[in-house]
Amino acid sequence: MSNDFLQMHLKAVMSCLVIFLYKVHTTKAGQFFSSGHTNNWAVLVCTSRFWFNYRHVANTLSVYRSVKRLGIPDSHIVLMLADDMACNYRNPRPATVFSHKNMELNVYGDDVEVDYRGYEVTVENFLRVLTGRLPPSTPRSKRLLSDDRSNILIYLTGHGGNGFLKFQDSEEISNMELADAFEQMWQKRRYNELLFIIDTCQGASMYERFYSPNLMALASSQVGEDSLSHQPDLAIGVHLMDKYTFYLLEFLEEVHPASQANMNDLFKVCPQSQCVSTPGHRTDLFQRDPGSVLITDFFGSVRKVEITKDTINLTSPVEPPIQRSGSGDIQIESLTYVDQLPVAEIIHQKPKQKDWHPPDGFILGLWTLILLVFFQTYGIKHLKHIF
Amino acid sequence: MAAHRCGLSLVCILIFSTPAPAPARDQFQEELVIRPLHSGDIYASFQFRTLWDTDFLQERQKKVSHYRLFPKSLGQVLSKFSVRELHISFTQGFWRTMQWGQPFIPSPPGAELWVWFHHTVSDVDGNWKELTNVLSGIFCASLNFIDMTNTVQPSASFKPLGLGNATDHRFLRYATLPREIVCTENLTPWKKLLPCGSKAGLAVLMKSEKLFHSSFHSQAVHIRPICQDEQCTSKAWELRQTLNVVFDHYTSGQGKKEWSLFKMFSRTLTEACPLASSSKVYVDITDNPELSPATHLLSRAVVLGDRRTYSVYDLTRAETFGQLRSFNLLLRWKGDNMLRPLLHAERYVAGFGLQTGEIHTVIYNNHPYRAFPVLLMDSVPWYLQLYVHTLTVTSKSRDNKPSYIHYQPAKDRHRPHLLEMLIQLPPHSMTEVTVQFERALLKWTEYTPDPNHGFYVGSSVVSALVPSMVAMSTNFTQDQPLFSSFVPVKEESSYFVRVYTEPLLVNLPTPDFSMPYNVICLTCTVVAVGYGSFYNLLTRTFQVDEPSPPLAKRLANFIRRIRGVPLLA
């Protein structure tokens, strides 16, 4: 009888615990603490050059726009555009990039900061940004300064094939290189979770080879399928966007920073009836259940708020620099501007004394040869006559 | 709620603990000059100047850490790299001197950067490389492509525009990127350097959709030390941000010589920047255009050798904005006369084929009776190999010998050509400088992803002291308008002008990039077929093989074997 009572007691306790845990899990605080990241980064890359690839730039800019709107600041976004479409001479509306025909939505905007542009978008630079192995003089805006608590969104678009993505019509990145770069990032603890989205032909081949943990990937088409473009605009003369990113943008426009939409909704974006190609996704390397991952975990930005009740004493301010009168007596004589074109001075300019360099290897070799031949012919005994 | 209360108390503590601020030693002025051009276009020039009485390069003083109006990002760059003067400009389009006259501040197409370093710098090249990388991050431009292959060290051009007496050209570096594109991503960080940003004052008019839909757009940052007062006993740092734009008569103006601020910028002015000590709009009324709203404030200034009259609108006064609290200018003109510019230059490539060519630079002196010297600086990339023995300078079909030539030949993949010449231009003449070149074959990896577009050669720079018909004033006053006080005037009878020529676009012999793939396929096929055939001939033996007999014969043989009779053949 005590056994039964114990079992019943245990069951009651267990059910209470389960109910309590369930409540924690579904409250906002519970979800806040279950994601595990403290900052968000985004790397958005458009790899195509030339005016007829306008749609790839529009794709990247629409994701940039959504990501900025949901809270990620410019300092945490690395935007790489391989060509300039907005101020291209063929653009009938300069400083604009449209995503809808009839010029409804200008995704370029007035406040855009492109970090890598034109010829700087190369496979090498992309991999260096991901792995962090950049030359020391690279400015901060061109670096991906993520840590082990960063959630990174990587978006690639352009022309691709089975296992590769073409950069600027002159080089390719293979799926193995990408997988190795992500492994390097994992080993250097450069990300907490990574969402990889690719909108190219046969995009699913690019995520086939991933092997690092905490990666989730989405692609616009399966191997053997082409991703299609959405709609041309007759005034601009080119196709404005790709189908997958168009519907992705439509989906993201509904998302706001407090939205509870999760990854399962993202996987449903653009089914085959709308996209013609079959979008694919890969979640086996991801530890959490996609249904519990919020869209804003990757597209939005976490703002950590710490509430404190202590008062903080500020230190005394910086002293103003020494007054001008103290150092003024050193410069009594008036300063003058330099003559912009001093003709007399220029004509009589002495030629610069060139620095003396030691003779080149060729000259040294030539002289050695001449001396060798001389001494071989005439013998060493002549040496003392010379020196 | 607890957070709000805590936040409030924190703010209260902040307010009570900061002492009274130090007296402000920096000031900010903004101005806009609008000049109607005779072709129907309109030229608008914004200038924002921050003057700061401090010294970045003094070691005795404590490091500067309190920035008010001067942007911190630029201040830190100046002190870290010991920069004495910095001039950077981003331009889209080409300034047409013959149609538009001389600009207030000239700039070449693409990006241009020239820097004077302080004489205490020991490694100028290292500082230059790091400075270009830092600036590329600040301005979102690909300035990191500036390296030793496109940097030159002019020996006589580009003297410092600020104070100073030592001019050792070892501390000067100059580079241009003619291919650089200018778009909103360059304007955004440029606007963020202004004290009021793009929220108040004249910068409110800068909307990229209108600014880039123009014939010419140039934004620049100029930093230099200048005199603080008339006696010139102490230095102050001056940061000038300039934006020059020319709106086209037909694409933006709908073909009418009638312009307004709203038509140009799709915005009107609502207030002056509260941090500005002066905020003015100048409109050039020398050719008597119709102007509304009318104003009684007039200003006369001698700019670029020409006496011009300007109407002045002071935005710090509330009555400028009228009842509607918005200021919109309307300008209409009919006149056609324009002062012909006295100095003008052109450049083009002559010749045919992909092996050789000839660069022609033509300089026009339109002064009726005065001759004056000009300094021509040419920087040509190493892959156009110049033959200096073919250099000819002719004026009025006679040889004109330059009084000073400085030529530094290029080193392949290391240094570009630099040619500087001081040429005396006869009055009312055309001077032509020609030099032949040969195009080099680049290595496979040195081609850009779109090599069939061509390769750019930066603009030539022609600097001159042009004799002026009108006496210029050499006095320096504090309330001088900004557009007339950029270049220091040393003598009354001439003004300094810099003219940039067109950049050149040359095609280099471009290989067919699909050839290695084709060659590998073809070679492998030939080798496989040839080697395979030889191998088979040498190592295989041949035997005669009986073909298998047809079905009827096989059946007949089978029956014969049963009968025991000899088989068929």
Side-chain angles (χ1 to χ4, degrees):
Chain A
M1 182 142 119
S2 60
N3 233 2
D4 288 328
F5 178 74
L6 207 67
Q7 268 184 8
M8 240 169 51
H9 196 68
L10 215 66
K11 270 197 199 129
V13 166
M14 284 299 287
S15 53
C16 282
L17 206 67
V18 162
I19 292 167
F20 174 68
L21 279 173
Y22 178 80
K23 275 216 145 47
V24 165
H25 183 73
T26 49
T27 52
K28 282 218 172 95
Q31 284 201 319
F32 181 81
F33 290 114
S34 75
S35 61
H37 69 281
T38 58
N39 54 76
N40 284 81
W41 286 82
V43 178
L44 311 172
V45 184
C46 161
T47 59
S48 305
R49 173 165 278 274
F50 305 123
W51 174 246
F52 49 82
N53 290 320
Y54 182 103
R55 60 189 187 279
H56 296 139
V57 172
N59 288 351
T60 318
L61 286 171
S62 52
V63 178
Y64 173 76
R65 177 205 147 78
S66 309
V67 147
K68 253 180 104 156
R69 200 174 50 82
L70 292 171
I72 303 187
D74 269 314
S75 53
H76 281 225
I77 303 178
V78 177
L79 179 61
M80 303 171 78
L81 297 180
D83 201 1
D84 172 56
M85 300 302 167
C87 289
N88 196 314
Y89 293 113
R90 289 164 95 163
N91 192 348
R93 291 273 298 272
T96 58
V97 173
F98 291 106
S99 64
H100 286 58
K101 72 170 182 212
N102 301 326
M103 304 192 194
E104 280 166 27
L105 181 60
N106 173 17
V107 289
Y108 196 58
D110 216 16
D111 191 29
V112 60
E113 284 185 22
V114 182
D115 303 303
Y116 286 85
R117 52 189 212 149
Y119 298 132
E120 292 177 293
V121 179
T122 56
V123 173
E124 187 193 333
N125 280 349
F126 175 58
L127 293 177
R128 280 187 187 277
V129 163
L130 286 184
T131 54
R133 290 154 66 176
L134 289 159
S137 52
T138 316
R140 281 179 74 103
S141 58
K142 288 183 162 174
R143 286 180 189 260
L144 179 66
L145 299 165
S146 56
D147 52 32
D148 64 325
R149 287 261 147 266
S150 310
N151 272 15
I152 309 183
L153 165 72
I154 297 185
Y155 178 82
L156 291 176
T157 182
H159 289 289
N162 190 355
F164 67 92
L165 171 62
K166 190 168 73 157
F167 265 70
Q168 293 216 45
D169 213 26
S170 67
E171 46 181 3
E172 291 122 23
I173 185 173
S174 65
N175 48 7
M176 212 51 231
E177 279 178 348
L178 199 56
D180 288 339
F182 288 154
E183 178 63 14
Q184 273 194 54
M185 285 175 80
W186 173 251
Q187 292 196 4
K188 288 166 82 163
R189 298 285 177 264
R190 279 171 69 80
Y191 69 90
N192 175 37
E193 283 167 353
L194 202 145
L195 175 63
F196 175 76
I197 305 182
I198 184 161
D199 187 354
T200 62
C201 301
Q202 307 193 47
S205 61
M206 289 304 283
Y207 61 64
E208 277 173 356
R209 305 289 196 109
F210 289 172
Y211 55 93
S212 318
N214 286 352
L215 292 178
M216 193 185 318
L218 274 122
S220 61
S221 55
Q222 300 293 333
V223 174
E225 284 180 349
D226 284 340
S227 276
L228 301 175
S229 59
H230 187 61
Q231 36 170 230
D233 182 307
L234 296 176
I236 300 177
V238 284
H239 284 259
L240 294 181
M241 262 186 101
D242 280 335
K243 284 191 154 72
Y244 180 73
T245 312
F246 181 81
Y247 290 106
L248 181 68
L249 176 66
E250 247 183 36
F251 171 76
L252 288 173
E253 291 283 292
E254 308 290 317
V255 174
H256 55 88
S259 151
Q260 296 295 307
N262 58 36
M263 282 296 159
N264 284 333
D265 304 324
L266 194 62
F267 295 155
K268 291 195 208 111
V269 163
C270 208
Q272 194 177 12
S273 51
Q274 279 176 330
C275 253
V276 183
S277 59
T278 320
H281 54 90
R282 182 178 173 178
T283 52
D284 56 314
L285 294 166
F286 204 75
Q287 279 170 8
R288 291 193 285 154
D289 169 42
S292 69
V293 179
L294 298 175
I295 299 280
T296 50
D297 276 354
F298 288 103
F299 286 89
S301 184
V302 169
R303 280 184 193 85
K304 221 163 172 176
V305 176
E306 272 184 29
I307 301 170
T308 173
K309 290 195 164 66
D310 312 321
T311 54
I312 299 169
N313 287 323
L314 300 173
T315 55
S316 56
V318 175
E319 278 153 36
I322 310 167
Q323 288 304 312
R324 190 49 66 173
S325 52
S327 58
D329 28 38
I330 302 172
Q331 305 168 323
I332 291 180
E333 76 280 1
S334 65
L335 307 156
T336 50
Y337 288 103
V338 178
D339 219 354
Q340 287 301 305
L341 195 69
V343 178
E345 215 184 281
I346 292 173
I347 292 175
H348 298 296
Q349 204 164 343
K350 281 201 181 46
K352 267 194 317 205
Q353 291 295 350
K354 282 220 130 125
D355 300 327
W356 182 80
H357 292 289
D360 209 4
F362 174 71
I363 304 288
L364 271 175
L366 193 65
W367 275 106
T368 319
L369 188 67
I370 292 171
L371 284 170
L372 263 172
V373 167
F374 175 76
F375 287 116
Q376 200 136 35
T377 333
Y378 296 107
I380 287 287
K381 60 181 190 309
H382 287 272
L383 205 62
K384 63 175 194 293
H385 294 289
I386 298 165
F387 292 105
Chain B
M1 267 162 310
H4 285 308
R5 234 181 287 138
C6 282
L8 255 163
S9 54
L10 220 75
V11 165
C12 291
I13 290 166
L14 268 167
I15 291 172
F16 288 129
S17 58
T18 48
R25 296 191 3 224
D26 48 6
Q27 56 159 321
F28 175 67
Q29 297 162 299
E30 53 178 18
E31 81 176 22
L32 164 63
V33 182
I34 298 181
R35 196 213 288 179
L37 302 169
H38 87 290
S39 54
D41 306 327
I42 193 155
Y43 170 36
S45 168
F46 292 85
Q47 286 208 31
F48 301 92
R49 180 169 88 158
T50 308
L51 262 180
W52 195 18
D53 183 18
T54 184
D55 210 340
F56 290 110
L57 305 170
Q58 282 274 48
E59 285 94 31
R60 297 176 284 144
Q61 243 174 328
K62 250 194 276 199
K63 248 172 98 165
V64 175
S65 54
H66 180 64
Y67 290 85
R68 197 176 78 105
L69 296 176
F70 201 94
K72 184 173 179 183
S73 48
L74 288 181
Q76 289 181 326
V77 162
L78 293 179
S79 51
K80 180 164 183 211
F81 298 111
S82 308
V83 168
R84 185 173 139 192
E85 251 186 59
L86 181 105
H87 300 268
I88 183 167
S89 72
F90 298 97
T91 312
Q92 178 203 57
F94 179 66
W95 182 268
R96 298 176 198 289
T97 317
M98 286 310 275
Q99 291 162 6
W100 300 338
Q102 294 281 4
F104 293 123
I105 297 183
S107 51
E112 185 202 39
L113 172 65
W114 58 280
V115 175
W116 273 92
F117 288 95
H118 208 245
H119 58 83
T120 53
V121 172
S122 52
D123 179 18
V124 182
D125 287 328
N127 274 21
W128 171 251
K129 185 82 195 122
E130 286 195 34
L131 178 66
T132 51
N133 277 314
V134 167
L135 289 174
S136 86
I138 295 177
F139 291 106
C140 286
S142 1
L143 297 174
N144 45 321
F145 284 132
I146 293 179
D147 55 8
M148 284 297 116
T149 59
N150 48 20
T151 308
V152 288
Q153 204 180 309
S155 65
S157 315
F158 292 102
K159 295 252 182 261
L161 284 167
L163 288 176
N165 36 19
T167 57
D168 187 351
H169 280 260
R170 278 185 300 138
F171 297 103
L172 168 65
R173 292 289 183 274
Y174 173 86
T176 45
L177 289 172
R179 187 77 202 266
E180 190 67 16
I181 301 156
V182 184
C183 208
T184 313
E185 64 254 22
N186 304 110
L187 187 63
T188 310
W190 188 93
K191 282 197 285 192
K192 287 184 182 162
L193 295 174
L194 296 170
C196 283
S198 53
K199 302 208 170 38
L202 292 172
V204 152
L205 297 175
M206 293 182 190
K207 288 295 158 197
S208 53
E209 285 189 24
K210 283 291 192 173
L211 283 182
F212 290 102
H213 196 47
S214 56
S215 309
F216 178 82
H217 170 100
S218 169
Q219 62 201 53
V221 172
H222 299 276
I223 304 177
R224 57 178 182 159
I226 62 165
C227 290
Q228 211 184 359
D229 48 20
E230 277 99 31
Q231 289 83 30
C232 214
T233 45
S234 56
K235 282 197 222 188
W237 280 91
E238 180 197 70
L239 163 69
R240 251 186 222 241
Q241 287 180 252
T242 64
L243 192 131
N244 293 339
V245 60
V246 175
F247 292 103
D248 190 60
H249 182 42
Y250 294 104
T251 51
S252 313
Q254 285 121 35
K256 288 186 272 199
K257 283 185 182 174
E258 183 187 316
W259 290 92
S260 70
L261 277 185
F262 190 78
K263 196 172 175 187
M264 289 196 276
F265 302 107
S266 70
R267 292 282 185 289
T268 56
L269 291 168
T270 48
E271 56 165 342
C273 174
L275 298 167
S277 61
S278 106
S279 178
K280 296 202 168 101
V281 176
Y282 291 85
V283 184
D284 189 334
I285 55 169
T286 321
D287 298 320
N288 295 320
E290 239 179 78
L291 187 60
S292 81
T295 178
H296 302 293
L297 289 171
L298 290 176
S299 153
R300 275 184 193 86
V302 181
V303 177
L304 299 166
D306 193 19
R307 183 170 286 123
R308 310 208 52 107
T309 318
Y310 294 90
S311 286
V312 184
Y313 297 88
D314 192 349
L315 297 175
T316 48
R317 295 210 224 147
E319 54 265 16
T320 323
F321 295 102
Q323 295 279 17
L324 298 164
R325 298 277 196 97
S326 111
F327 174 67
N328 188 11
L329 217 60
L330 187 59
L331 196 64
R332 216 175 295 163
W333 73 100
K334 285 195 205 355
D336 237 15
N337 55 335
M338 190 197 75
L339 187 76
R340 203 137 164 256
L342 294 176
L343 180 65
H344 170 53
E346 283 174 354
R347 195 162 75 146
Y348 56 90
V349 172
F352 57 91
L354 285 176
Q355 193 183 359
T356 54
E358 211 171 277
I359 298 181
H360 290 244
T361 312
V362 185
I363 312 174
Y364 297 90
N365 175 3
N366 293 324
H367 203 287
Y369 52 86
R370 289 282 301 270
F372 55 87
V374 300
L375 189 58
L376 170 68
M377 188 188 96
D378 241 325
S379 162
V380 179
W382 63 268
Y383 40 80
L384 294 190
Q385 295 153 343
L386 297 182
Y387 290 121
V388 182
H389 72 279
T390 57
L391 176 69
T392 59
V393 183
T394 46
S395 311
K396 289 182 170 171
S397 58
R398 268 185 317 177
D399 231 1
N400 182 349
K401 191 162 176 306
S403 24
Y404 170 79
I405 302 185
H406 175 251
Y407 175 65
Q408 190 180 53
K411 221 167 157 186
D412 273 4
R413 299 175 180 86
H414 190 75
R415 201 172 60 198
H417 298 273
L418 174 67
L419 178 62
E420 273 184 280
M421 295 194 289
L422 187 70
I423 308 170
Q424 185 82 0
L425 299 181
H428 206 70
S429 67
M430 177 186 98
T431 307
E432 194 165 337
V433 177
T434 60
V435 64
Q436 286 179 8
F437 65 87
E438 196 179 77
R439 297 169 215 235
L441 193 61
L442 297 178
K443 287 186 188 165
W444 168 266
T445 46
E446 287 170 349
Y447 286 99
T448 54
D450 53 350
N452 290 300
H453 179 88
F455 289 77
Y456 282 86
V457 178
S459 315
S460 295
V461 188
V462 177
S463 324
L465 275 172
V466 180
S468 146
M469 315 268 205
V470 175
M472 314 271 294
S473 89
T474 50
N475 295 333
F476 161 79
T477 46
Q478 280 284 26
D479 49 357
Q480 219 179 359
L482 294 175
F483 59 89
S484 58
S485 63
F486 184 58
V487 181
V489 178
K490 282 256 166 166
E491 47 180 276
E492 289 182 342
S493 55
S494 56
Y495 61 96
F496 179 72
V497 85
R498 205 171 262 148
V499 177
Y500 290 93
T501 62
E502 296 95 328
L504 301 174
L505 184 60
V506 290
N507 264 315
L508 291 183
T510 312
D512 181 358
F513 292 97
S514 64
M515 275 318 279
Y517 171 75
N518 298 341
V519 166
I520 290 171
C521 283
L522 193 66
T523 317
C524 289
T525 311
V526 166
V527 166
V529 167
Y531 177 70
S533 316
F534 265 115
Y535 180 80
N536 284 334
L537 281 170
L538 293 173
T539 56
R540 290 185 201 279
T541 53
F542 292 95
Q543 299 168 332
V544 179
D545 192 22
E546 296 279 324
S548 60
L551 188 62
K553 240 188 187 169
R554 264 193 281 160
L555 208 60
N557 276 342
F558 179 68
I559 295 168
R560 278 182 175 225
R561 219 180 291 137
I562 292 172
R563 285 171 58 193
V565 168
L567 302 169
L568 289 172

